[in-house]
Amino acid sequence: MRTQNTSRRFGARASVLVLGLVATGAVLAPASPASAAVPGLVRVAATSVSSSADYHSVTATCPVGKVLTGTGYELNGVTGEGIVDDLRPNGGVATAPTAVTVGAYETEAFAGNWSVTAYAICANPLPGLVRVTTAGVSNSVDYRSVTATCPAGKVLTGTGYELNGVTGEGVVDDFRPNGGVATAPTAVTVGAYESGRR
């Protein structure tokens, strides 16, 4: 079991994938099936080595010529004793993302073997797709919240997060895009707590 220092400093980082749209006055409706609305849409999975190590990380990479439009993960065999610390797309403000890395820790000592699977949702290149990152404050408060917002004129297409400095002792409580059924999302908020605070 890990011991926790109450003066630990940790911060949260939120990432969003955004797509530039040009207003033309036309209404866009998804084609049927839904995958036709996003050309070349596929899901790629990668699974880490299965072992009893207390940390596992794996990267799922899009096929050549495709970009990342969504993310996901699965913890395998850890029986409720694992937490995801990172769900981190690559890329940046000038580079479209093409992969996602998922990192997870055991929350308590766990004797069995386990692994983590990262899922990358990939598609043909989308004009204007970039990754935006916002870092939260790093201090000893036991709750953090940070919002990553798309640049003006862009909408949210995917999300991610990274917990820094908390080494398996932080739990993401909120992972919440804005928007609604009539409004495209433009931001995501990530909130995390320190777990096992003494």
Side-chain angles (χ1 to χ4, degrees):
M1 183 187 328
R2 291 186 179 81
T3 58
Q4 178 144 359
N5 177 345
T6 58
S7 65
R8 169 176 289 147
R9 297 172 65 85
F10 86 98
R13 181 182 306 264
S15 295
V16 297
L17 306 179
V18 296
L19 173 65
L21 294 179
V22 178
T24 61
V27 175
L28 301 177
S32 185
S35 62
V38 182
L41 192 65
V42 297
R43 185 195 79 172
V44 175
T47 302
S48 71
V49 172
S50 181
S51 73
S52 62
D54 71 345
Y55 177 77
H56 290 283
S57 178
V58 67
T59 299
T61 303
C62 293
V64 174
K66 294 189 182 284
V67 296
L68 187 71
T69 61
T71 62
Y73 64 84
E74 182 176 9
L75 300 181
N76 312 299
V78 77
T79 334
E81 296 294 332
I83 56 174
V84 173
D85 189 72
D86 303 310
L87 177 60
R88 188 178 60 246
N90 69 351
V93 294
T95 308
T98 57
V100 60
T101 298
V102 178
Y105 286 96
E106 292 178 356
T107 57
E108 301 288 339
F110 178 77
N113 290 339
W114 66 285
S115 64
V116 61
T117 300
Y119 295 103
I121 308 302
C122 307
N124 293 347
L126 302 170
L129 184 69
V130 296
R131 187 194 72 171
V132 175
T133 301
T134 302
V137 174
S138 179
N139 59 31
S140 61
V141 177
D142 70 347
Y143 177 75
R144 302 284 177 290
S145 179
V146 64
T147 300
T149 303
C150 300
K154 293 184 181 269
V155 297
L156 183 70
T157 63
T159 58
Y161 65 84
E162 180 176 13
L163 300 181
N164 302 301
V166 75
T167 317
E169 297 290 338
V171 177
V172 173
D173 186 67
D174 303 306
F175 190 36
R176 190 178 61 248
N178 69 352
V181 295
T183 307
T186 58
V188 62
T189 298
V190 178
Y193 284 95
E194 277 188 65
S195 64
R197 188 165 172 88
R198 288 178 177 67

